[in-house]
Amino acid sequence: DIQMTQSPSSLSASVGDRVTITCRASQSISYFLNWYRQKPGKAPNLLIYEASSLQSGVPSRFSGSGSGTDFTLTISSLQPEDFATYYCQQSYSAPLTFGGGTQVEIK
Amino acid sequence: QVQLQESGPGLVKPSETLSLTCTVSGGSISSYYWSWIRQPPGKGLEWIGHIYSSGSTNYKPSLKSRVTISVDTSKNQFSLSLRSVTAADTAVYYCARAKGLQLWEYGMDVWGQGTTVTVSS
């Protein structure tokens, strides 16, 4: 299985802050990396697919970059609804695997 | 738009079989990959496996001996069966659709709301 490691596991930030979350794969996954936001008690929501493609309907403050083993999710200006947990997920090969999550909390 | 709804018992006894169904509405189940994902209380997401509408499957290796995912295209449903459950199988179970026709490489863009399954006697 491909292991996905996210960092940090949690962070505190304020509304309007720029936030960056990183995800590292245990082997090269090309650009087959997806990002999700999960609000408490809700299902995850796809934000970014193919490392940098913005999912339809997702605000442009979200962006993704990277290829190979190292990836980042950036939120350019944190909004109140962005306080949530974020997960990366590789879709290079089965079994599909998720990172451990990054919880973004209010500072 | 496409919507997914999980259904099944919320309580399962240890050693028994957990059975869930995901009903697809607002679109066809054909030509897509359909996944089951679970999330234990307070923990992260775990992919269980997926099925293509033709019936081909992939499972997480550590669960493969206990899991079966099946599809019923006539009912626009797919199902999860997890045998010999223990307390470690207690989780919220989600069904989800892979983005893109005939592809599973681009993430999962439609999710059910999730159903909580507790394993307890």
Side-chain angles (χ1 to χ4, degrees), chain A residues 1 31-32 34 36 38 41-46 49-50 55 87 89 91-98 100, chain B residues 35 37 39 43-47 50 58-62 94 99 104-109 111-114:
Chain A
D1 300 7
Y31 52 87
F32 293 106
N34 312 299
Y36 300 85
Q38 185 179 32
K42 299 294 187 183
N45 184 47
L46 180 65
Y49 63 96
E50 268 190 292
Q55 170 67 0
Y87 293 94
Q89 176 242 325
S91 48
Y92 177 77
S93 67
L96 309 184
T97 47
F98 290 88
Chain B
S35 283
I37 301 102
Q39 186 169 36
K43 296 190 177 181
L45 301 166
E46 178 184 31
W47 181 78
H50 68 206
N58 261 310
Y59 300 128
K60 179 171 181 169
S62 62
Y94 295 101
K99 177 181 174 67
W104 49 267
E105 289 86 350
Y106 300 140
M108 291 168 273
D109 64 342
W111 292 66
Q113 64 185 20

Side-chain angles (χ1 to χ4, degrees), chain B residues 9-85:
Chain B
L11 181 64
V12 181
K13 289 182 168 55
S15 80
E16 295 191 345
T17 297
L18 180 160
S19 296
L20 297 174
T21 295
C22 184
T23 299
V24 180
S25 60
S28 174
I29 203 168
S30 297
S31 303
Y32 284 95
Y33 282 87
W34 304 90
S35 283
W36 286 99
I37 301 102
R38 69 181 181 179
Q39 186 169 36
K43 296 190 177 181
L45 301 166
E46 178 184 31
W47 181 78
I48 299 170
H50 68 206
I51 189 165
Y52 186 60
S53 53
S54 65
S56 64
T57 55
N58 261 310
Y59 300 128
K60 179 171 181 169
S62 62
L63 296 173
K64 189 173 184 177
S65 63
R66 298 195 291 132
V67 171
T68 301
I69 298 176
S70 58
V71 64
D72 186 337
T73 54
S74 67
K75 294 182 178 179
N76 240 27
Q77 295 177 332
F78 63 105
S79 298
L80 169 70
S81 176
L82 180 63
R83 298 174 290 279
S84 304
V85 297

Side-chain angles (χ1 to χ4, degrees), chain A residues 4 25 30 42 64 67-68 93 100:
Chain A
M4 307 301 295
S30 185
K42 299 294 187 183
S67 66
S93 67

Side-chain angles (χ1 to χ4, degrees), chain A residues 18-36:
Chain A
R18 182 182 182 89
V19 168
T20 299
I21 299 168
T22 65
C23 181
R24 175 165 288 177
S26 59
Q27 66 181 74
S28 177
I29 57 170
S30 185
Y31 52 87
F32 293 106
L33 189 283
N34 312 299
W35 290 99
Y36 300 85

